[in-house]
Amino acid sequence: MKHLIIYAHSNAESFNHAILETVVNTLKEKGDEVVVRDLYALDFQPVLKPEDTAAMRAGQTPADIKVEQEYISQSDTITFISPIWWTGLPAILKGYVDRVFAYGFAYTAGVEGINKLLTGKKGFIVNTHGTPNAIYDEIGMTAGLKITSDTGIFDFVGIESVGHLLLGSIGYLDDDGYKELLQQVQDTVKTVL
């Protein structure tokens, strides 16, 4: 299996980075091929500019977008790892989706509706947030985040969502709490990927 991990956290010492290492190591232990695209390390430019859209309409996809699309095309599974900031994806990851999951590459539309061009791939998401999970569950945020990412991004382009972990109370746990979350990540990766 070929796994593409899109990682979006600005701090190399964050808990998100520990999650990334756990996912990579677990997949490699299974003998799978793993590619990590660290959007901050790449200094990925997230703003979809009018010239990007014009170039893609003319069949001249900008080079930085084309590189990312090739990684997606070659992968069997796509994993997003990021924090939740202001109840959504970090701007750099949202911009990645805006620019890379482009019309003509990830989907098209016609009289019949949306044509999903990434069908056959699987998607997995790990998000962290500071709010306790029980509060996010109670106010509907957990369900909302799953709808916007699993359905609104992955399903929209044909990627089958196989799991979405939302890990809360980040910044407020003790060492054992973080170890338990990393174990949950490892167990989930072994089960769904």
Side-chain angles (χ1 to χ4, degrees):
M1 293 286 287
K2 292 184 178 181
H3 296 269
L4 174 64
I5 300 174
I6 309 302
Y7 173 71
H9 200 293
S10 56
N11 183 350
E13 297 178 12
S14 70
F15 184 63
N16 275 253
H17 200 272
I19 292 168
L20 172 65
E21 290 174 350
T22 299
V23 173
V24 168
N25 291 338
T26 304
L27 291 171
K28 286 185 175 180
E29 285 171 9
K30 292 172 56 176
D32 293 343
E33 182 181 326
V34 182
V35 171
V36 176
R37 302 300 286 165
D38 180 336
L39 300 184
Y40 283 96
L42 293 167
D43 196 23
F44 184 80
Q45 197 290 107
V47 178
L48 178 63
K49 296 181 178 177
E51 51 267 29
D52 292 338
T53 304
M56 286 187 275
R57 284 187 179 151
Q60 302 295 321
T61 301
D64 65 330
I65 296 173
K66 187 70 175 165
V67 165
E68 301 307 319
Q69 290 176 344
E70 288 173 6
Y71 280 114
I72 290 171
S73 293
Q74 295 167 10
S75 69
D76 300 305
T77 302
I78 300 161
T79 296
F80 288 174
I81 300 172
S82 75
I84 296 297
W85 287 341
W86 291 102
T87 69
L89 302 177
I92 200 166
L93 180 54
K94 177 61 168 71
Y96 179 93
V97 173
D98 289 348
R99 294 185 74 221
V100 177
F101 284 53
Y103 184 88
F105 169 73
Y107 71 99
T108 59
V111 177
E112 302 291 320
I114 301 299
N115 300 309
K116 302 175 180 191
L117 303 181
L118 298 180
T119 300
K121 297 183 185 301
K122 294 181 179 181
F124 178 61
I125 300 173
V126 183
N127 292 134
T128 60
H129 52 84
T131 304
N133 281 348
I135 293 174
Y136 260 24
D137 292 348
E138 181 182 324
I139 65 174
M141 191 62 66
T142 300
L145 289 165
K146 288 182 177 184
I147 284 283
T148 57
S149 295
D150 302 1
T151 304
I153 297 172
F154 281 167
D155 183 63
F156 185 80
V157 298
I159 298 171
E160 175 194 358
S161 176
V162 296
H164 189 158
L165 293 177
L166 284 144
L167 308 176
S169 299
I170 304 305
Y172 305 100
L173 300 172
D174 60 18
D175 286 346
D176 287 341
Y178 290 112
K179 287 177 185 174
E180 286 176 22
L181 291 182
L182 290 177
Q183 187 63 56
Q184 181 184 357
V185 170
Q186 184 179 36
D187 292 345
T188 304
V189 168
K190 286 179 178 178
T191 303
V192 303
L193 297 181

